[in-house]
Amino acid sequence: MSNVLLVTSSPRGSEGLSTRFATQLATQLAEQVPGTTLTLRDLAAAPLDHIGEAYVVGRATPPDTRTAAQAEAVQLAERLVAELAAADAVVIGSAMINFGPPSPLKAWFDHVIWPRVTFRYAGNSVEGLLKGKKVYLVTASGGDFSEEPLAAWDYQSGYLKHLLGFIGLTDIEHLRVEGTAHGPEAAQAAVASADKALQSLLQRAARPLTATPDSVEATQ
Ligand SMILES: Cc1cc2nc3c(=O)[nH]c(=O)nc-3n(C[C@H](O)[C@H](O)[C@H](O)COP(=O)(O)O)c2cc1C
């Protein structure tokens, strides 16, 4: 039994390419292992509240002395963390909005990044507590940011990878759907290229985790 969590966040509804590719990836990953449960957290259709005083003060308050508002805010974060912790693979779709991720996705991270729950301070460093999961990050952008000169303007990919790594999710595959703003032909090419990358990701994911003759040879 395996669990795949799909998190989507594009504000463009059915037009959203990050949602389209992330959904396709999550669905096909789930189909690779019979009995897999696919859980959808659609942050565009059902946005989370931004964190506020009830959550921040509530999570630092013992459960039996929380106000009703604090208890509700903390319980929501607990549900989101439990959903994430239960996943063996996490697929995240993120639309670039003003060079960063959409705000509903930021709000999701604000709920699941939680000291002593999903990360802890260890001496002078930090230890992420969610380990052993595969993450597939699907980012979509109008511009083309994988190469210079615009790479430095991508405050989405590096930021999301940093947040994921901070809570222990360091095994990340990144699929970009980019350059769709440069006219219909460029958009078509971007989708075709992302399609190819998606098929290659799925093939790699389907490969059994046993040594192949090649890898045995490589280690000798
Ligand atoms: C409000 C808004 C802001 C955007 N900001 C940027 C941006 O800063 N840089 C960029 O390259 N594309 C930007 N775009 C284009 C989107 O990143 C592009 O349409 C992408 O495909 C969105 O992801 P989605 O297809 O999953 O919705 C923006 C689009 C919208 C609607």
Side-chain angles (χ1 to χ4, degrees), residues 80-153:
L80 295 168
V81 169
E83 201 169 75
L84 178 57
D88 302 289
V90 186
V91 183
I92 298 176
S94 178
M96 180 180 276
I97 300 296
N98 299 323
F99 303 102
S103 58
L105 185 56
K106 170 68 164 62
W108 181 78
F109 275 105
D110 289 342
H111 283 84
V112 299
I113 299 180
W114 190 343
R116 292 176 299 283
V117 176
T118 55
F119 77 94
R120 68 173 177 194
Y121 296 104
N124 285 336
S125 69
V126 171
E127 182 188 6
L129 299 176
L130 295 176
K131 292 186 177 134
K133 299 179 196 307
K134 186 91 193 174
V135 179
Y136 297 90
L137 175 62
V138 180
T139 57
S141 56
D144 197 329
F145 296 94
S146 56
E147 285 169 18
E148 296 300 345
L150 287 189
W153 292 17

Side-chain angles (χ1 to χ4, degrees), residues 54-68 70-71 74-75 78 114 116:
Y55 168 67
V56 175
V57 177
R59 76 180 187 184
T61 302
D64 51 349
T65 56
R66 283 175 191 149
T67 63
Q70 288 170 351
V74 175
Q75 278 160 16
E78 283 170 347
W114 190 343
R116 292 176 299 283

